[in-house]
């Protein structure tokens, strides 16, 4: 079962994400990042690849797409905040 990140796990798992552009969402226990691409086709292609991983890991992002921009927010609703799944998915999204 997935659990909310402990204070120690937050420091370890979130610090590298903050270095790569992820930020805490004000008023929520969630992280957010804006991804920019050359055009809509590149953005949509990235979203498709990201969706495959999200489905595989049964952990789905909140996201919004306009033209070449994809805004992603991650939080684990079942635990009421950030879990290791959010950090794992964020790392995968960065790698795509």
């Amino acid at each position: 079962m997935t659990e909310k990140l402990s204070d120690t796990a937050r420091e370890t798992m979130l610090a590298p994400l903050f270095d790569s552009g992820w930020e805490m969402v004000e008023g929520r226990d969630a992280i957010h990042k804006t991804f920019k691409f050359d055009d809509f086709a590149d953005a949509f292609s990235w979203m498709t690849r990201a969706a495959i991983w999200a489905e595989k890991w049964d952990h789905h992002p909140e996201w919004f797409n306009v033209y070449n921009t994809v805004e992603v927010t991650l939080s684990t609703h079942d635990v009421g905040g950030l879990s290791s799944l959010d950090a794992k998915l964020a790392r995968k999204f960065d790698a795509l």
Side-chain angles (χ1 to χ4, degrees):
M1 171 156 245
T2 302
E3 296 180 358
K4 196 170 183 177
L5 288 178
S6 67
D7 290 341
T8 303
R10 283 172 182 275
E11 290 179 24
T12 304
M13 298 178 101
L14 297 181
L17 296 176
F18 296 150
D19 290 342
S20 72
W22 290 89
E23 300 175 331
M24 290 299 298
V25 175
E26 189 173 334
R28 284 183 67 186
D29 192 23
I31 54 175
H32 176 272
K33 184 173 182 177
T34 300
F35 293 86
K36 294 272 189 175
F37 301 91
D38 289 336
D39 55 30
F40 177 75
D42 285 346
F44 198 85
S45 175
W46 179 87
M47 289 177 72
T48 301
R49 292 190 311 274
I52 291 168
W53 286 101
E55 190 66 19
K56 179 179 180 175
W57 291 336
D58 193 28
H59 191 61
H60 305 92
E62 300 169 21
W63 57 15
F64 180 76
N65 164 245
V66 174
Y67 184 58
N68 69 336
T69 303
V70 181
E71 295 182 22
V72 178
T73 300
L74 298 173
S75 185
T76 304
H77 298 104
D78 293 346
V79 301
L82 291 168
S83 74
S84 61
L85 284 173
D86 299 303
K88 180 179 178 181
L89 201 55
R91 287 191 305 273
K92 178 54 76 175
F93 287 178
D94 283 344
L96 294 175

